[in-house]
Amino acid sequence: MNALAATSRNFRNAARLLGLDSKLEKSLLIPFREIKVECTIPKDDGTLVSYVGFRVQHDNARGPMKGGIRYHPEVDPDEVNALAQLMTWKTAVADIPYGGAKGGIGCTPRDLSKSELERLTRVFTQKIHDLIGIHTDVPAPDMGTNAQTMAWILDEYSKFHGHSPAVVTGKPIDLGGSLGREAATGRGVVFATEALLAEYGKSINGLKFAIQGFGNVGSWAARLIHERGGKIVVVSDVTGAVKNHNGIDIPELLKHKETTGSLLNFNGGDAMDPNELLVHECDVLIPCALGGVLNRDNAASVKAKFIIEAANHPTDPEADEILSKKGVVILPDIYSNAGGVTVSYFEWVQNIQGFMWDEEKVNAELQRYMTRAFHNIKNMCKTHDCNLRMGAFTLGVNRVARATLLRGWEA
């Protein structure tokens, strides 16, 4: 089941639990605005080439729309739609005053030079500058984009609207980016894990972890779990997988990956088949890579007691059922990986105030938001007698529905 179908199904289940009016339910699913633009740029050799750029703005009942921009050859309107919708519920779960959006350009970033990427980003910004804005829609980096991409968008947008650092988040620190943003998603995953384990009278210290994906989110989560005394027994990424049943030395693995660009040939552990990571012996499994990795083929073999969804949509609905029958507790992506957008919100707040925070304050506020959201989800689980995924969806959907009704949606 693809991301759009799964998100819509979760939304419909939540709407049913909440007893939403069917007209309101339909209205909440339809995006506020979908934008599609042609971006033509000269390549370095002088030839002209055209790309298609998208922005889906899903809902703005609770505040400006917020979501990433991805540069990827398969930027599919359906997927962008699902991810925009997911951002609406995610910001509501985290209780930050945003709605959801998502965008992208169908291109292969590694086939473009830096100057071609800059021209493409600036043309895209020229086409959508009057549809984004500090109080309208605030983009952020996603797959294939980074802080430099945001710097170009900021510069191009500012040519039309004056200096506006709050128009994008995930910027370089020198242009108004926030301290702690780099580690935010991974750190949020760890705060979420701590909140969940505390419910069961456990803590990270001494538990065994398996982490799939060692990019930004996976490597930060691993580093912070290691610091808290968690034993990380397996790690994998696109290059391979490493296992060590006494716990991998994460700082050493990070050094090894930095120097060789790969997890292979690391002498602090044994190589293993990356596909076996998901069914490896551990207490907590953290998928931080792609969607749909837990499915009906492997769900029955999962040995973890807790799954923390750091990736977007790693568990498909069939696996969800198999795992919950086994008594595995799944902390849903819509909450687990909300650390990134929460610190993006802190960045936006700092830019608007023109007053920057130190990193301790950013991390302390992030912990407060993640912990509070967990308790709000637990309360919804009690009210509606449902699992954590439905607890999170009912929490998010209910907040958006209430805001929509209060604003008077039928007028």
Side-chain angles (χ1 to χ4, degrees), residues 2-164:
N2 70 8
L4 183 60
T7 306
S8 300
R9 171 171 145 165
N10 287 328
F11 167 77
R12 282 195 302 275
N13 290 344
R16 215 173 33 245
L17 280 174
L18 292 164
L20 288 192
D21 174 78
S22 63
K23 291 198 296 294
L24 176 62
E25 181 182 335
K26 209 167 168 186
S27 156
L28 287 176
L29 266 185
I30 298 169
F32 167 76
R33 184 194 282 146
E34 295 189 36
I35 303 153
K36 191 174 173 186
V37 294
E38 184 192 28
C39 303
T40 304
I41 58 158
K43 301 218 7 165
D44 292 342
D45 63 10
T47 58
L48 287 181
V49 59
S50 288
Y51 300 95
V52 177
F54 299 93
R55 186 77 175 160
V56 174
Q57 298 175 332
H58 178 255
D59 190 277
N60 59 3
R62 297 180 64 257
M65 293 163 289
K66 186 92 193 73
I69 287 181
R70 51 178 54 183
Y71 287 3
H72 191 268
E74 284 134 43
V75 173
D76 162 54
D78 254 7
E79 188 184 23
V80 175
N81 227 312
L83 293 167
Q85 189 198 133
L86 205 59
M87 285 301 295
T88 298
W89 317 132
K90 186 181 292 187
T91 50
V93 168
D95 204 17
I96 52 184
Y98 286 142
K102 203 73 167 186
I105 300 177
C107 67
T108 310
R110 59 167 190 276
D111 294 348
L112 296 169
S113 69
K114 190 174 178 187
S115 60
E116 287 167 344
L117 281 170
E118 176 172 354
R119 287 196 289 276
L120 181 56
T121 304
R122 289 182 184 277
V123 168
F124 184 51
T125 308
Q126 287 165 19
K127 301 269 172 140
I128 65 167
H129 77 89
D130 50 352
L131 299 168
I132 62 173
I134 298 170
H135 300 294
T136 316
D137 178 3
V138 181
D142 200 320
M143 277 160 57
T145 56
N146 56 25
Q148 177 60 70
T149 321
M150 297 305 107
W152 292 328
I153 294 176
L154 163 62
D155 183 69
E156 198 60 32
Y157 181 87
S158 297
K159 290 176 185 175
F160 296 94
H161 301 274
H163 182 58
S164 318

Side-chain angles (χ1 to χ4, degrees), residues 331-351:
L331 199 59
D333 52 0
I334 177 181
Y335 162 67
S336 307
N337 63 30
V341 70
T342 303
V343 176
S344 273
Y345 163 59
F346 299 160
E347 180 179 332
W348 179 77
V349 166
Q350 293 169 77
N351 294 153

Side-chain angles (χ1 to χ4, degrees), residues 267-311:
N267 53 18
D270 305 317
M272 65 174 270
D273 177 359
N275 297 320
E276 282 171 21
L277 179 133
L278 297 164
V279 298
H280 199 275
E281 189 67 52
C282 64
D283 300 304
V284 184
L285 169 62
I286 311 183
C288 308
L290 295 167
V293 293
L294 290 163
N295 49 45
R296 63 167 171 225
D297 302 327
N298 59 11
S301 319
V302 169
K303 298 182 185 67
K305 299 166 200 66
F306 300 96
I307 295 176
I308 315 291
E309 296 188 333

Side-chain angles (χ1 to χ4, degrees), residues 199 374-388 391 394:
E199 279 287 306
F374 181 77
H375 294 300
N376 291 336
I377 291 169
K378 283 304 283 188
N379 289 338
M380 283 309 247
C381 291
K382 289 193 186 91
T383 307
H384 297 289
D385 186 26
C386 59
N387 64 15
L388 289 163
T394 48

Side-chain angles (χ1 to χ4, degrees), residues 308-322:
I308 315 291
E309 296 188 333
N312 276 323
H313 186 59
T315 316
D316 79 28
E318 291 170 325
D320 235 353
E321 275 171 40
I322 297 168

